[in-house]
Amino acid sequence: MKISSKEVEYVAHLARLEITEAEQEKFTSQLNDILLYIDKLNELTTEGVEPMSHAISVTNAFREDKVVDSIGTQQTLANAPDARGELFRVPKVID
Amino acid sequence: MELYQLTIHELQEKIKKGEVTATQVTQSVFERIDAVEGKVHSYIRLMKDEALATAAKADEEIKNGNIKPLTGIPIALKDIVCTKGIPTTCGSHILHNFVPPYNATVVEKLRDAGAIFVGKANMDEFAMGSSTETSYFGPTRNPWDLERIPGGSSGGSAAAVAADECIASIGSDTGGSIRQPAALCGIVGLKPTYGRVSRFGLIAFASSLDQIGPFTKDVEDCAIMMNVLAGYDPRESTSVKEDVPDYRQFAGRDIKGWKIGIPKEYFVEGIDPEVNTAIKNAIAVIEQSGGKCVDISLPHTQYCLAVYYIIAPAEACSNLARYDGVKYGFRAADARDLLDMYKKTRMQGFGAEVKRRIMIGTYALSAGYYDAYYKKASQVRALIKKDFEEAFKKCDVIMTPTTPTAAFKIGEKTDDPLQMYLSDIFTISTNLAGIPGISVPCGFTSGGLPVGVQFLAGHFEEGKLIQIASAYEKNANIEKRRPAL
């Protein structure tokens, strides 16, 4: 086993996903299959190989520090499930 | 021939000569949609009123002699590119009511080139899938066989072109999501070099792999679309300041003296015999066209899928952290507190495949596993890129099958994620290395399903792909068939 049912539950919490018991069981089995397949990478020695993060060399893309048009508060809040005034509204965070 | 059956360049000729109007073309496409959309389900949303209004304006422009590269051409957009004021769902429940306040750069470019938007095309949820079965809005069917999948994740965009429900379309490709459905639907699909087309306004899946590209009925149309799409965008920090050639000039040129690399690792067990035969025939056509085939090796090919299924989910779990029920989209009701609201929203808002990939990515990035998975995969990715650099010292273009099999049946692979992932085995390496790739139709199986051949070139060499694909298309004389819908 690469990953236990308990670990699946913990990873789901990290990912902020509520999962049912049935999903937990299914994910445990499917993630094990996938992780076993991925294990194939250990056949390769990669010591000293520089990890690659982008396909082409990208450098910081700076621009002039100039104010440009933005969409504004009203449009920003237009898609919010719940908003009041100029704020997003969420369930209470602390008791 | 009906107008909806024509290509961009054929329609442009007719529009220029005044033989047809943009309105007639658009009406023709919507009549076709009325006739076949119930069977194929290419679209999540149609934009008929907007399209006809744009067409009427285009006809005014045409009268004034103002004809742009896509004036009067009905085009479908994958529902992953943001359209201002038009819902953009990414095939997901969690974005089912999201209305973008801005346009993606490609949408602006297409609009400025005169395109008429037909609708938002169906797709696998968040582009995660190879069959368009994971869409919250139900599957798209392959126009060649309605029992089969059109490929994915851009299955709606591919099916819409194959079924003549638009003249061309836009897709996105993270591990094959343009080339694989293009092959399975019998059309042309190109994934440009990473950085060639702006990703601004493209809903992110795996940011180091995602690229936008066109689906078209032939190679010349692909060149026309690339002329519009390619180029630097100051709003997208990974888009590249590299000159954009006129891609159309490459169509029709010959390939005499070109070396075509045939990677032995792509002709292995598991490839369908009929696909194999079609590719062998395509290789013969390329040799008759003046190309010289050389054996090459891409030794890390067998590791591509494993690398991809760490890198892509790792980037995805980070990108999809933004769907928290606060800023836009779906929010679950009856949450006890904020944490509960996050968890319930994401549980109810995401489908199974998206959750699975978020889980893999979160696990691979979590404390204690980062080096074993993400770092290891990033190192092997460097080796895969090096394979291509070595290979392109020996050849101009690489030629492979696009997919190991023709279109499979709906439901055939939904319960086995790994089997589903394997359908992208010939397309994934391209994204990892950031190089461009094109899929072109190369015949049919005995069961009448289309097969595609893939050409790959070095960074920013889309012109070479247009050139060889157009030479192949001209000399192969693939029987012109249309799906019987």
Side-chain angles (χ1 to χ4, degrees):
Chain A
M1 287 282 274
K2 299 292 295 178
I3 182 167
S4 67
S5 173
K6 197 91 196 133
E7 277 181 294
V8 165
E9 192 184 1
Y10 176 63
V11 170
H13 167 72
L14 287 179
R16 299 294 183 262
L17 282 172
E18 190 174 294
I19 54 172
T20 62
E21 263 176 50
E23 275 181 313
Q24 189 172 333
E25 200 180 311
K26 201 169 180 185
F27 281 151
T28 307
S29 133
Q30 289 175 336
L31 260 56
N32 266 302
D33 285 350
I34 294 164
L35 292 170
L36 273 173
Y37 179 81
I38 286 169
D39 253 2
K40 173 182 181 72
L41 296 181
N42 293 324
E43 294 166 10
L44 291 168
T45 317
T46 48
E47 231 178 80
V49 177
E50 190 63 32
M52 169 181 166
S53 58
H54 265 88
I56 44 168
S57 60
V58 259
T59 47
N60 281 334
F62 293 116
R63 64 167 175 81
E64 288 281 312
D65 187 15
K66 237 171 42 189
V67 178
V68 293
D69 289 342
S70 64
I71 59 171
T73 314
Q74 229 182 350
Q75 272 205 58
T76 304
L77 291 172
N79 275 293
D82 195 0
R84 185 185 286 172
E86 297 200 325
L87 303 167
F88 292 105
R89 197 158 173 266
V90 296
K92 72 174 174 184
V93 182
I94 32 173
D95 287 317
Chain B
M1 287 282 260
E2 302 288 340
L3 291 176
Y4 60 72
Q5 295 180 319
L6 301 178
T7 61
I8 298 175
H9 56 93
E10 287 164 347
L11 285 169
Q12 281 258 299
E13 278 303 305
K14 289 190 180 295
I15 288 170
K16 275 182 192 157
K17 286 185 189 153
E19 292 172 13
V20 298
T21 64
T23 301
Q24 285 169 333
V25 175
T26 307
Q27 275 168 344
S28 169
V29 165
F30 276 98
E31 277 162 26
R32 175 66 176 171
I33 289 171
D34 287 343
V36 301
E37 174 62 6
K39 294 179 191 167
V40 183
H41 187 229
S42 300
Y43 290 99
I44 291 175
R45 167 179 298 268
L46 289 165
M47 295 162 61
K48 190 173 180 179
D49 293 345
E50 295 94 332
L52 287 170
T54 314
K57 273 191 219 152
D59 283 326
E60 287 301 312
E61 295 281 312
I62 293 164
K63 267 187 214 151
N64 298 328
N66 186 11
I67 301 178
K68 288 175 282 190
L70 295 176
T71 294
I73 306 298
I75 283 178
L77 300 166
K78 186 179 183 178
D79 206 19
I80 195 171
V81 292
C82 286
T83 39
K84 188 175 179 176
I86 309 278
T88 301
T89 69
C90 222
S92 182
H93 181 42
I94 214 160
L95 282 177
H96 75 282
N97 57 357
F98 174 60
V99 183
Y102 63 92
N103 278 321
T105 296
V106 293
V107 172
E108 288 183 348
K109 284 189 168 211
L110 289 165
R111 183 197 60 199
D112 293 348
I116 293 168
F117 298 129
V118 179
K120 304 298 292 282
N122 199 15
M123 56 181 284
D124 280 300
E125 184 179 8
F126 283 101
M128 297 178 191
S130 310
S131 66
T132 316
E133 289 168 291
T134 73
S135 170
Y136 173 67
F137 302 93
T140 295
R141 293 167 182 273
N142 191 313
W144 295 93
D145 178 348
L146 297 171
E147 299 296 305
R148 291 176 190 272
I149 58 102
S153 65
S154 314
S157 301
V161 173
D164 295 312
E165 293 183 275
C166 62
I167 306 303
S169 67
I170 291 296
S172 66
D173 189 317
T174 304
S177 287
I178 291 174
R179 291 157 291 151
Q180 185 253 21
L184 303 190
C185 288
I187 58 171
V188 175
L190 183 138
K191 180 204 93 77
T193 308
Y194 185 79
R196 177 85 289 185
V197 175
S198 169
R199 293 182 294 114
F200 179 81
L202 171 74
I203 296 176
F205 162 14
S207 305
S208 81
L209 305 166
D210 298 342
Q211 239 334 253
I212 294 172
F215 287 100
T216 55
K217 295 179 184 178
D218 68 9
V219 177
E220 187 168 349
D221 276 6
C222 180
I224 294 171
M225 290 288 278
M226 279 305 290
N227 277 352
V228 173
L229 297 173
Y232 171 70
D233 177 7
R235 295 183 295 188
E236 208 266 83
S237 60
T238 61
S239 82
V240 174
K241 283 181 187 165
E242 185 92 15
D243 286 343
V244 179
D246 173 8
Y247 291 110
R248 219 170 163 175
Q249 66 172 322
F250 294 96
R253 285 192 195 165
D254 72 53
I255 54 158
K256 286 204 178 70
W258 279 30
K259 283 190 191 150
I260 318 300
I262 311 292
K264 62 172 187 229
E265 291 83 1
Y266 283 65
F267 294 85
V268 286
E269 260 180 76
I271 173 166
D272 180 85
E274 288 195 275
V275 171
N276 203 37
T277 305
I279 303 301
K280 291 278 150 69
N281 291 341
I283 291 173
V285 171
I286 287 295
E287 291 198 308
Q288 286 153 19
S289 311
K292 187 181 174 330
C293 291
V294 294
D295 291 330
I296 58 160
S297 174
L298 298 163
H300 295 94
T301 298
Q302 57 165 313
Y303 301 103
C304 290
L305 197 64
V307 170
Y308 180 83
Y309 277 98
I310 298 172
I311 306 270
E315 293 184 11
C317 81
S318 166
N319 274 326
L320 271 59
R322 74 190 67 181
Y323 304 105
D324 58 3
V326 175
K327 302 176 292 296
Y328 34 67
F330 167 78
R331 175 190 287 192
D334 305 325
R336 289 189 306 273
D337 53 27
L338 187 64
L339 182 64
D340 194 45
M341 191 275 280
Y342 290 154
K343 286 190 172 183
K344 284 205 163 73
T345 293
R346 290 162 66 80
M347 174 204 192
Q348 295 168 28
F350 290 135
E353 181 60 24
V354 172
K355 287 182 196 168
R356 191 154 41 236
R357 298 209 198 180
I358 289 175
M359 294 285 290
I360 299 169
T362 308
Y363 177 75
L365 292 177
S366 63
Y369 294 106
Y370 178 86
D371 278 5
Y373 290 107
Y374 190 77
K375 187 180 169 203
K376 183 80 181 180
S378 303
Q379 288 174 311
V380 180
R381 186 179 178 187
L383 299 176
I384 291 164
K385 188 185 177 205
K386 197 152 174 285
D387 280 357
F388 280 105
E389 287 164 4
E390 292 301 317
F392 285 123
K393 287 177 187 165
K394 299 188 190 110
C395 61
D396 297 282
V397 171
I398 293 172
M399 184 173 179
T400 80
T402 310
T403 59
T405 67
F408 46 90
K409 289 242 168 87
I410 289 177
E412 194 179 318
K413 299 188 180 183
T414 36
D415 284 334
D416 189 345
L418 206 50
Q419 277 307 310
M420 183 72 87
Y421 299 169
L422 283 165
S423 61
D424 292 332
I425 195 145
F426 296 147
T427 47
I428 275 174
S429 57
T430 316
N431 301 73
L432 293 171
I435 58 173
I438 193 169
S439 181
V440 189
C442 72
F444 295 88
T445 64
S446 52
L449 297 171
V451 178
V453 58
Q454 176 177 242
F455 298 104
L456 308 173
H459 290 137
F460 301 104
E461 292 187 334
E462 286 82 358
K464 273 190 184 171
L465 296 182
I466 301 280
Q467 190 165 340
I468 191 163
S470 105
Y472 172 74
E473 183 183 63
K474 189 174 132 212
N475 297 329
N477 276 319
I478 300 294
E479 185 195 343
K480 286 260 182 270
R481 290 192 207 175
R482 301 198 103 85
L485 278 168

